[in-house]
Amino acid sequence: MVPEIGMAASNFSLAVYAHTTLGLNEFEAARLRVAQINGCAFCLDWRTERDGRKVGEDFADAVASWRTTDAFDERTRLAAEYAERYALDHHHLDEEFWSRMTAHYSQAEIVELSMSIGSWLAFGRLNHVLGLDTVCVLPRP
């Protein structure tokens, strides 16, 4: 409906998937945690595929219980935690949290993860608020 903005939004969204350097589990942990918070039906059902691989069906349950699951390594757990804190409590990302993040992620990876979470947060909420999440289709690169 707004082609000039829509095309830019689409390109940003596609770039997050097409140019990520993050591992599939970290990427999906952050993406699914944002989807769970946003309540975007499409995003909750979507599973990113890389090289013919997707996360398992039980992965979303592990993301919901990221604090206690034994299914995640520290990078994956931190990705889910960062996504949740970014979406719900970004004013309280303290030194202790950043110390843990920088012990497991490079600065470039943190920026990439931040931009990805921002994309999912914005577009997932937009889709849900406008009721597009039940009819949304992500274009393939």
Side-chain angles (χ1 to χ4, degrees):
M1 296 179 84
V2 185
E4 296 79 13
I5 297 172
M7 185 56 68
S10 177
N11 287 338
F12 178 43
S13 181
L14 286 172
V16 165
Y17 290 88
H19 302 292
T20 186
T21 64
L22 300 169
L24 181 61
N25 286 353
E26 300 127 33
F27 187 87
E28 281 293 272
R31 190 196 64 73
L32 275 165
R33 189 63 196 123
V34 172
Q36 291 165 348
I37 292 165
N38 280 344
C40 175
F42 176 81
C43 301
L44 287 166
D45 288 340
W46 175 265
R47 294 299 177 273
T48 302
E49 183 176 328
R50 259 205 230 136
D51 300 323
R53 212 170 63 74
K54 293 182 181 185
V55 295
E57 287 304 312
D58 56 344
F59 193 83
D61 292 334
V63 169
S65 61
W66 64 264
R67 287 173 184 82
T68 58
T69 186
D70 59 1
F72 290 168
D73 63 16
E74 194 58 24
R75 280 178 59 95
T76 305
R77 186 180 317 282
L78 276 165
E81 179 182 358
Y82 185 37
E84 181 175 303
R85 292 178 73 167
Y86 186 112
L88 298 175
D89 195 22
H90 63 284
H91 289 285
H92 295 103
L93 292 167
D94 55 17
E95 289 300 319
E96 183 275 331
F97 171 77
W98 287 119
S99 178
R100 289 186 291 120
M101 277 297 284
T102 57
H104 294 280
Y105 284 91
S106 70
Q107 289 297 316
E109 289 173 320
I110 291 170
V111 171
E112 180 182 337
L113 187 56
S114 300
M115 294 184 78
S116 297
I117 293 168
S119 168
W120 300 320
L121 185 61
F123 299 128
R125 285 191 183 179
L126 179 139
N127 287 339
H128 187 69
V129 167
L130 297 180
L132 302 173
D133 56 333
T134 56
V135 295
C136 180
V137 176
L138 272 181
R140 299 271 182 191

